[in-house]
Amino acid sequence: MKTISLAEWLPSASSAAPRIDSLVLQLLAAGTAMCVLLAVLTIIILVRFRRGSKAPRGPLQLATWKIETAWTSVTLAVFLYFFFEGAGAYSAMERIPPGLPEIDVVGRQWMWDVTHDDGRREFNSVHVRLNHPVRIVLSSEDVIHSFF
């Protein structure tokens, strides 16, 4: 399947962005198609079977289990497609390349204690090389912290 990109509209903030953008657009397209289909079917049924129309209203002559099996199977297939696409995108995004420099960050009540691989220490700031990925290992001694 061709990857849909929003690069013309928004710049990608990460290498995972094009795949996530494509998945979001596919979900949006599938949801829109389902809404349009249901609206059209509802209008057709409302017009065809309105009160006073000559539409046949006798017992159903076809096996409903076939229809139920078909819509359940199609729904399951669409769900599984989006599940595995999303799981693949998430696992690719969360996969850490081997050999990255590691930075240990300990959150304390009033400060951040940062220790680099080479033993260099910093407090309340982190300095890394531009455009070089690092692995940050967060821990806390006392409270829950956010690090950004």
Side-chain angles (χ1 to χ4, degrees):
M1 174 168 268
K2 181 182 177 289
T3 302
I4 302 168
S5 176
L6 293 178
E8 299 83 33
W9 300 327
L10 300 171
S12 294
S14 71
S15 60
R19 190 168 180 186
I20 301 297
D21 290 345
S22 173
L23 189 58
V24 167
L25 287 177
Q26 289 175 37
L27 280 165
L28 182 65
T32 301
M34 183 57 67
C35 286
V36 168
L37 175 69
L38 289 175
V40 167
L41 287 175
T42 300
I43 291 170
I44 289 171
I45 289 170
L46 285 173
V47 169
R48 183 167 181 209
F49 293 103
R50 69 185 184 276
R51 185 180 298 176
S53 71
K54 304 277 193 267
R57 291 184 176 83
L60 210 53
Q61 298 300 321
L62 57 109
T64 59
W65 71 269
K66 293 178 183 177
I67 296 171
E68 292 170 5
T69 302
W71 89 49
T72 303
S73 300
V74 169
T75 303
L76 178 65
V78 170
F79 170 79
L80 289 175
Y81 168 77
F82 283 119
F83 174 78
F84 285 113
E85 279 295 311
Y90 180 77
S91 68
M93 183 175 62
E94 291 295 314
R95 192 171 299 119
I96 299 172
L100 289 181
E102 192 171 286
I103 299 174
D104 291 318
V105 180
V106 179
R108 295 197 171 90
Q109 190 168 6
W110 304 111
M111 64 176 276
W112 293 102
D113 184 5
V114 179
T115 307
H116 293 265
D117 268 354
D118 57 4
R120 191 169 39 103
R121 294 187 68 171
E122 297 179 272
F123 298 101
N124 293 330
S125 64
V126 179
H127 294 88
V128 294
R129 292 178 58 198
L130 186 64
N131 295 326
H132 285 74
V134 295
R135 181 172 186 242
I136 296 178
V137 179
L138 294 174
S139 61
S140 174
E141 287 188 352
D142 45 21
V143 295
I144 297 174
H145 292 276
S146 62
F147 184 77
F148 53 89

